[in-house]
Amino acid sequence: MSEIEAETIGLAIGTEARPRSRVATPRQVLAIVSVGICLANLDLFIVNVGLPNIAQEFRGASLEDLSWILNGYAIVYAALLVFFGRLAERHSRNLSFLLGVALFTAASAACALAPNVELLVVARVAQAAGAALMTPTSIGLLLASFPPEQRPGAVRTWTAIGGLAAALGPLAGGVLVTFDWRWIFIVNIPIGILALIIGWLKLPEVPGHDVPRPSSWAALLVTCGIGALTLAIVKANDWGWGSRGVVLGFAIAAVSLAAFTWHCLNSKNPFVDPALFKVRPFTGATFVMAPYSAAFGAMLLSVALWEQTVWGWSALKTGLAIAPGPLLVPFTSLLFARRLIARFGAAAVVSAGIVSFAGGLAIWATLLGVDPDMPAFVVGMMFTGIGVGLTFPTLMGVGAGSLPPSSFATGSGVINMIRQAALAIGVAIFVAILATPASMTERIAAFHRGWWIMIAITIAGFVPNYLFIRRRADH
């Protein structure tokens, strides 16, 4: 990250932390708020490995129904991220962060107690609301605690830790499902309680400031738009692409998202400021993040389902086989990405990440079959892990770091909102591709077809990468 980027990030926090007695050091603040981002990102994917076990308990639930345990979380997380981020700017950041942790912890308990899929989805939505409050307030606390020259490194570390937590979800899920699928939610409770206690005692006070209240109507529009689009894609095979329900879903999505766009372009207090997209690196980062995140979400769902439904592996073996990829994410991000950006520029590093991720999918699409092939699977997983480590932190750094100080928090929220929405859409697309194959041969063909489609979606990121992300944004 360049000196210009560092200066931009360094000025991005408008309110400094107020001193408290025995307040945490900056590194301790990083550790505390990282608990929040880990919980938020871990629960994006920890359920993937547990879906077959959940299906066994809730008999009669289809893959389409179960997919809402994932997509309900991702959609609400995406829609509320910017809304809660801007709302929290009006109040104490440390108290807002703790409120998010408390809501997430309570919702985790509700997930563990859910007697059916419907109530589990409702509890997951509450989890997502807590996560959407934790994420922007955690980075606000982080930036208020570090001196300007150290903020770029703190942001990269925060991003890498969050990415690792998201990618480690399947591994953690595999271990916990060995005992019972409900443990994937129970484990959040003691962690959340501990974070609440330490955070209450140690976090610095970062007061809010007078900013306009975000539009609740706009938040509802974007939620309905993304939700209706996801529902239409998921149900297309079951109801038929030309069915009244699917056509209505696409229509509601189009109208809702068009109304949301109109609001952003014409409101005096837009939910997403269109001026952000006049900054070319920010535009490039968001437009690359969308297809890449869709493919990423589909990839993590696909490998968990492949190993358990095609190869018949246990949840624990599945999680362990997936582990090499996630473990390479922080290693690649923290040890190599910064040096590569300094030498070759962000666009080249993002390109390398796209190629690596797509290469991992191609290995699976060409080599995996009905007979278990651990070497081919692990090599593909390693390529995807390297790709994630190169791409996600780089896009976050370039996108947010290119904005003016007053827009840093909002811009970060927009990038994350697009990322989470794309994750839900990617999962929906893959669920639609899998459908309900009648034979193992058809199932394998559906997985291969899905991976090739995700390769094409990933490669689409090359276009905005080179149209908008320039070397001058890196130096």
Side-chain angles (χ1 to χ4, degrees):
M1 190 171 286
S2 69
E3 292 180 1
I4 294 176
E5 253 184 341
E7 182 179 355
T8 302
I9 293 177
L11 294 172
I13 189 72
T15 309
E16 296 294 336
R18 288 181 180 174
R20 293 174 62 183
S21 60
R22 303 176 65 183
V23 74
T25 66
R27 293 188 180 277
Q28 289 173 335
V29 171
L30 174 60
I32 295 169
V33 301
S34 291
V35 172
I37 196 65
C38 281
L39 287 174
N41 284 345
L42 185 67
D43 267 59
L44 277 170
F45 305 110
I46 195 171
V47 181
N48 289 18
V49 173
L51 283 182
N53 296 74
I54 296 174
Q56 289 177 8
E57 180 167 338
F58 300 143
R59 298 188 181 278
S62 66
L63 179 60
E64 289 83 1
D65 296 331
L66 294 170
S67 70
W68 286 101
I69 301 172
L70 306 176
N71 284 341
Y73 184 97
I75 291 168
V76 174
Y77 189 18
L80 294 182
L81 200 57
V82 173
F83 178 74
F84 279 171
R86 292 183 58 192
L87 196 63
E89 290 179 357
R90 299 165 55 91
H91 306 282
S92 170
R93 305 290 174 83
N94 53 307
L95 294 180
S96 297
F97 174 77
L98 294 174
L99 178 61
V101 174
L103 176 58
F104 187 92
T105 304
S108 296
C111 288
L113 297 172
N116 53 51
V117 172
E118 292 75 18
L119 289 179
L120 179 54
V121 171
V122 171
R124 287 280 286 170
V125 166
Q127 262 194 325
L133 185 54
M134 285 192 296
T135 302
T137 51
S138 68
I139 197 168
L141 285 165
L142 191 68
L143 293 171
S145 301
F146 278 84
E149 66 276 8
Q150 295 181 20
R151 287 171 183 162
V155 170
R156 276 194 300 270
T157 302
W158 179 86
T159 304
I161 291 172
L164 173 62
L168 278 176
L171 174 59
V175 174
L176 294 170
V177 166
T178 303
F179 303 99
D180 189 293
W181 68 263
R182 296 179 188 274
W183 275 99
I184 61 181
F185 301 112
I186 293 173
V187 71
N188 294 331
I189 300 172
I191 298 174
I193 292 173
L194 184 62
L196 281 172
I197 295 172
I198 297 176
W200 178 262
L201 295 174
K202 301 291 288 183
L203 282 177
E205 294 180 6
V206 182
H209 50 276
D210 187 19
V211 294
R213 181 184 178 88
S215 170
S216 301
W217 175 242
L220 180 61
L221 284 174
V222 73
T223 304
C224 289
I226 299 169
L229 177 60
T230 304
L231 176 64
I233 295 172
V234 166
K235 289 295 185 181
N237 285 313
D238 188 18
W239 294 348
W241 285 93
S243 67
R244 181 178 300 177
V246 170
V247 172
L248 181 61
F250 282 123
I252 292 174
V255 171
S256 298
L257 294 176
F260 175 75
T261 303
W262 184 91
H263 156 83
C264 293
L265 292 174
N266 294 278
S267 174
K268 294 181 179 179
N269 178 32
F271 194 81
V272 174
D273 188 352
L276 295 174
F277 292 93
K278 294 180 181 180
V279 181
R280 292 179 64 87
F282 175 84
T283 302
T286 54
F287 286 177
V288 176
M289 185 69 80
Y292 200 94
S293 297
F296 179 60
M299 180 274 292
L300 283 178
L301 173 65
S302 71
V303 294
L305 292 178
W306 173 273
E307 292 182 331
Q308 294 183 78
T309 63
V310 177
W311 287 348
W313 287 0
S314 67
L316 177 57
K317 188 173 182 179
T318 296
L320 291 172
I322 293 172
L327 292 175
L328 282 172
V329 173
F331 181 80
T332 302
S333 174
L334 297 176
L335 296 184
F336 294 103
R338 181 180 181 181
R339 297 175 184 176
L340 292 173
I341 291 171
R343 182 169 182 178
F344 300 106
V349 173
V350 171
S351 293
I354 290 174
V355 170
S356 182
F357 187 87
L361 297 178
I363 290 173
W364 296 336
T366 55
L367 298 181
L368 298 189
V370 67
D371 296 321
D373 187 347
M374 178 69 83
F377 179 82
V378 171
V379 170
M381 201 71 240
M382 293 173 68
F383 271 99
T384 62
I386 292 171
V388 171
L390 290 174
T391 307
F392 275 156
T394 304
L395 290 176
M396 285 297 298
V398 169
S402 63
L403 294 174
S406 59
S407 301
F408 179 81
T410 302
S412 298
V414 170
I415 294 176
N416 274 307
M417 180 182 76
I418 292 172
R419 176 186 174 187
Q420 307 309 329
L423 287 169
I425 293 171
V427 168
I429 292 172
F430 210 91
V431 168
I433 292 169
L434 289 183
T436 54
S439 67
M440 182 60 70
T441 300
E442 291 179 1
R443 176 174 289 273
I444 292 173
F447 272 99
H448 287 172
R449 182 166 58 253
W451 284 327
W452 284 118
I453 291 173
M454 289 305 136
I455 289 171
I457 290 175
T458 304
I459 291 175
F462 276 124
V463 177
N465 184 34
Y466 280 105
L467 283 178
F468 296 102
I469 299 178
R470 305 296 187 187
R471 285 188 63 88
R472 66 173 175 269
D474 313 321
H475 297 289

